[in-house]
């Protein structure tokens, strides 16, 4: 049965008959300059197969050396997630054949991950706090990237495949939750809130750019269903590499409805990986899911145990930055906004963007106004997360500054913002190239006012008769004549003066 024709149960019926169980595995690419076990660079977007060496493509005789900065980042992540840091952890070989893994095994951690037994508290849309328990956070290396040519871009039906090994060996930390139970109808929301909170945390730790659109943060969503009153978990599926917050929520909800329909019809859920389809929010079958035994883990013979000195771990802990939720509480007090307003800012993913815009010179009020109104609308129309818009807080602050200086009207400023989003350059250059700066020459404005009054003698008579509200028509005509580059307040002053 294909995703397009899959039977789905009504969501409310799913919740009436089943209890969902989630397991979320988030892979984060660490922002180190070099790979996990070699000195190859990790620059995103380089020409294919230009950042490889004998180690990361697994040539015989090559020996890996662990990246100290990656180990530091892994410890930093573990501490921020309230995990215990293992005094001695080892790497293992996870054996499987896949074209984008040139060694035919992946160096990972298995029995003794570097960080374990933690938690992350996340805030849901109504202010409820939900604790997600963390099973482990372990280090490993990323795989290469496959490009399947022909068909629909999947390996099945492709004419041929191209392999880029630049990503092979890039350091990863995989963060695995314990089973998330009891969420009921809010399970999809809990999943999204968790990944969102985790992304914010990782960004604040400065360990990754957490770009979901570029694959540096990827979520595998495990979903299973238990019939009401059951004591054993159902068979789970794993929807792989979901790459946006919205998609995490949609994928979990879809799998709940699909699995419920399968079980209700007397079928069995197959333990398998699933592909998520952004276009229609469905999933489709991938491959049967292996168990740990299938991977034939054994200790990596070429790498010694990772044994971080306790004093070093304490030093890393002491240097952790102000965590996002602590900073938000402080900022809320400084801004003087209510819990409800702050929750709304968190829900749209605007808080850190606003803070950065304020740090770049804008007022809190102006920064909030831009991010939660005009830019939020742009994100919605472009179908991206607010944080993924192609405009930086510094650029927003620059645009706000141009408005404050009177060089742009709000309408012109919005044109500049759209141009920045469309990749046309920096705000000041766009203003110069398009000639958008507000017209401040009173003689030019007076000429436009006189022409508008002459074209509307009846309106001019109303203004002269004391109906000042009628000036709005003339102001509108002048704004149109000046392509929106006039200061409306100054135009109105000139109109009233001309009719007095």
């Amino acid at each position: 049965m294909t995703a397009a024709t899959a039977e789905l149960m009504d969501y409310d019926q799913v919740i009436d008959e089943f209890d969902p169980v989630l397991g979320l595995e988030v892979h984060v690419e660490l922002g180190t300059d070099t790979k996990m076990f070699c000195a190859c660079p990790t620059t995103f977007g380089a020409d294919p197969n230009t950042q490889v060496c004998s180690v990361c493509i697994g040539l015989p005789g090559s020996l890996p050396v662990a990246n100290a900065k990656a180990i530091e980042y892994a410890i930093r992540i573990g501490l921020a997630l309230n995990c215990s840091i293992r005094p001695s952890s080892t790497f293992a070989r996870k054996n499987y054949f896949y074209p984008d893994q040139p060694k035919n095994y992946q160096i990972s951690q298995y029995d003794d991950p570097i960080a374990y037994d933690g938690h992350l508290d996340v805030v849901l849309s109504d202010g409820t706090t939900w604790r997600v328990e963390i099973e482990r956070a372990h280090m490993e290396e990323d795989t290469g990237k496959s490009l399947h040519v022909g068909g629909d871009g999947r390996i099945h039906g492709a004419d041929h495949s191209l392999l880029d090994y630049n990503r092979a060996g890039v350091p990863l930390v995989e963060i695995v939750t314990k089973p998330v139970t009891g969420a009921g109808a809010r399970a999809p929301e809990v999943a999204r809130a968790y990944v969102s909170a985790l992304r914010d945390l990782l960004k604040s730790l400065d360990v990754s750019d957490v770009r979901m659109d570029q694959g540096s943060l990827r979520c595998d969503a495990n979903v299973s269903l238990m019939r009401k009153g059951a004591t054993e978990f159902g068979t789970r599926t794993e929807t792989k590499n979901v790459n946006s917050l919205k998609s995490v929520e949609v994928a979990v909800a879809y799998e709940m409805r699909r699995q419920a329909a399968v079980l209700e019809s007397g079928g069995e859920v197959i333990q398998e990986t699933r592909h998520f389809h952004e276009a229609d929010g469905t999933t489709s079958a991938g491959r049967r899911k292996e168990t740990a035994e299938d991977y034939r883990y054994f200790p990596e013979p070429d790498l010694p145990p990772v044994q971080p000195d306790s004093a070093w771990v304490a030093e890393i802990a002491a240097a952790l930055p102000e965590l996002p939720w602590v900073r938000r509480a402080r900022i809320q007090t400084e801004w003087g906004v209510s819990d409800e307003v702050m929750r709304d800012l968190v829900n749209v993913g605007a808080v850190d963007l606003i803070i950065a815009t304020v740090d770049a010179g804008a007022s809190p009020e102006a920064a909030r106004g831009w991010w939660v109104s005009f830019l939020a609308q742009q994100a919605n129309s472009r179908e991206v997360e607010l944080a993924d818009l192609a405009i930086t807080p510094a650029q927003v602050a620059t645009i706000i500054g141009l408005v404050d200086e009177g060089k742009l009207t709000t309408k012109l400023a919005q044109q500049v913002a759209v141009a920045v989003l469309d990749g046309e350059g920096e705000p000041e250059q766009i203003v110069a190239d398009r000639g958008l700066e507000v017209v401040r020459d009173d003689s030019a404005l007076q000429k436009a006012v006189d022409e508008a009054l002459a074209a509307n003698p009846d309106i001019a008579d109303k203004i002269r008769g004391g109906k000042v509200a009628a000036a709005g028509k003339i102001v509108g005509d002048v704004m149109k004549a000046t392509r929106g580059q006039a200061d409306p307040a100054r135009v109105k002053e000139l109109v009233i003066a001309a009719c007095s």
Side-chain angles (χ1 to χ4, degrees), residues 100-111:
D100 57 11
Q101 183 57 275
K103 296 193 294 285
N104 291 340
Y105 63 85
Q106 178 188 37
I107 300 178
S108 182
Q109 292 190 307
Y110 178 50
D111 287 323

Side-chain angles (χ1 to χ4, degrees), residues 74-84 115-121 132-134 136-137 173-176 194 197-198 201-202 205 320 323 325:
I75 294 172
R76 193 182 301 181
I77 291 169
L79 292 170
L81 289 172
N82 304 291
C83 290
S84 299
Y116 63 97
D117 197 18
H119 66 266
L120 180 62
D121 291 331
V132 177
E133 302 285 348
I134 306 296
R136 57 192 282 143
V173 165
E174 181 177 354
I175 302 163
V176 182
Y194 167 73
L198 186 57
L201 174 62
L202 295 168
L205 295 175
L320 289 178
L323 299 180
W325 39 91

